[in-house]
Amino acid sequence: MRMLLAATIVLGTSAITYAAPPRVDVVLDECLGPSRDEILRVTRIELGDALSDPAAPGENIHASIACAGPVAVLRVDDPSMQRTLWRRIDLVTGSEPRLLALALVELVASLRAELYVPPPSSPPPAAVEHVAPSLATAVAPTSAIPRYRIELTGGAMTFSADKTALAGLGARLSSRGRMPWLIDVQAHHGSNTTPIGEVTIDVSSLGAALAIERTARSVRASFGAGLRGGVVRMTGTPSSAIVMGSTTLSAWFGPIVLGDIAVPLTGRLALAAAVEVGYVVAPVSAFAGDRRAASVDGAWAQLHVGVGYSL
């Protein structure tokens, strides 16, 4: 009976098959700037032959470092096993390229050790230097990386055909990723005084644009182009009973280019500022007698400042 049990154990052991550890693709976000070369150099030294060309075929482990406000997000994915490991490192206190590289290598080693058992004859895996606990904090696989930002702003808008400054408020939703986009709604108000009365101007609009994004340290900047359009309401209030007032309601629109910058105040809250210029394709004007009293025409410029919150 003992011999039969021993034979069973030997046969069971010989039946085990060992999967070959996968190779590793490394992708580094442009937000890391000049540190990318040093991070990649250290990663190559640590991973050695395990490092793969991202263009090579096969089910490779994907290792990446991206920026999420003031922190670097390290992520390692195994597509075949649908397993992901995360880690976040504060860019202010732990932004040394070598530490970021070693933290990424540690995540790769953890995933490979967890999912792929080496054969008994294989040498033990090389030791990976640990990053100080104060610089790196493990994040659950379900943790969300901020991909959207909401901004509430206030500012001013002016048109070249009418020097009146319009005060306004706005709300903007923007995305992050390979193809950032943004949409916003704005409302501006102002007035002109003429010899025969006052003309009030209300400009409501919706804007949409595609953008490119750059991050230096924890400051995020984006530049884009798109369209803005909406409705203009102009109301004339006469200063004399012999003058008749009226209201004009009309659509307007035009192309835009814009720039946006966000400086973080906390992990998700940021101070935001946006500059925009455009040109009116469908102009709107109001007249007092034979004189133009107000106009949404020509080029326009606006500046808005406010706060943004990353979702």
Side-chain angles (χ1 to χ4, degrees), residues 172 222-224 257-261 273-276:
R172 169 179 292 183
S222 60
F223 309 90
V257 293
L258 54 86
D260 182 282
I261 188 169
V275 177
E276 176 184 298

XYZ file of all heavy atoms in Angstrom, residues 172 222-224 257-261 273-276:
93
model
N -17.273 73.091 -17.432
C -16.570 72.316 -18.458
C -16.337 70.900 -17.968
O -16.028 70.659 -16.804
C -15.229 72.971 -18.783
C -14.300 72.119 -19.641
C -13.000 72.839 -19.954
N -13.232 73.972 -20.834
C -12.249 74.746 -21.304
N -10.999 74.522 -20.960
N -12.523 75.753 -22.107
N -3.225 71.784 -21.569
C -3.813 71.213 -22.778
C -4.058 72.315 -23.798
O -4.270 73.483 -23.442
C -5.127 70.483 -22.459
O -6.070 71.373 -21.879
N -4.002 71.918 -25.077
C -4.205 72.846 -26.180
C -5.116 72.156 -27.192
O -4.926 70.986 -27.505
C -2.873 73.215 -26.841
C -1.827 73.669 -25.861
C -0.959 72.748 -25.281
C -1.727 74.995 -25.497
C 0.003 73.145 -24.367
C -0.775 75.414 -24.585
C 0.089 74.486 -24.019
N -6.118 72.900 -27.686
C -7.075 72.253 -28.575
C -7.726 73.189 -29.567
O -7.471 74.393 -29.584
N -9.762 78.138 -30.971
C -8.551 77.501 -30.460
C -8.440 77.908 -28.994
O -8.860 79.010 -28.616
C -7.281 77.903 -31.235
C -7.318 77.361 -32.643
C -7.106 79.413 -31.264
N -7.894 77.031 -28.174
C -7.911 77.296 -26.733
C -6.716 76.659 -26.050
O -6.061 75.759 -26.585
C -9.216 76.787 -26.115
C -9.591 75.321 -26.367
C -8.957 74.389 -25.355
C -11.091 75.152 -26.371
N -6.436 77.161 -24.867
C -5.411 76.597 -24.002
C -5.926 76.545 -22.582
O -6.696 77.402 -22.145
N -5.514 75.507 -21.849
C -6.009 75.297 -20.489
C -4.854 74.838 -19.627
O -4.016 74.044 -20.064
C -7.118 74.235 -20.502
C -7.712 73.991 -19.125
O -7.056 73.292 -18.331
O -8.803 74.492 -18.856
N -4.761 75.329 -18.400
C -3.721 74.916 -17.468
C -4.358 74.654 -16.111
O -5.285 75.366 -15.711
C -2.601 75.974 -17.364
C -1.429 75.435 -16.528
C -3.127 77.284 -16.790
C -0.194 76.291 -16.607
N -7.231 77.600 -15.289
C -7.348 78.823 -16.081
C -7.403 78.436 -17.555
O -6.698 77.521 -17.984
C -6.182 79.770 -15.821
N -8.255 79.116 -18.330
C -8.431 78.794 -19.744
C -8.490 80.080 -20.567
O -9.137 81.051 -20.168
C -9.702 77.973 -19.965
N -7.794 80.059 -21.712
C -7.815 81.171 -22.665
C -8.367 80.639 -23.981
O -8.026 79.526 -24.400
C -6.406 81.752 -22.876
C -6.425 82.851 -23.929
C -5.844 82.293 -21.575
N -9.221 81.438 -24.630
C -9.839 81.006 -25.887
C -9.951 82.175 -26.852
O -10.240 83.298 -26.449
C -11.232 80.438 -25.609
C -12.012 80.030 -26.861
C -13.419 79.568 -26.536
O -13.540 78.554 -25.814
O -14.384 80.230 -26.948
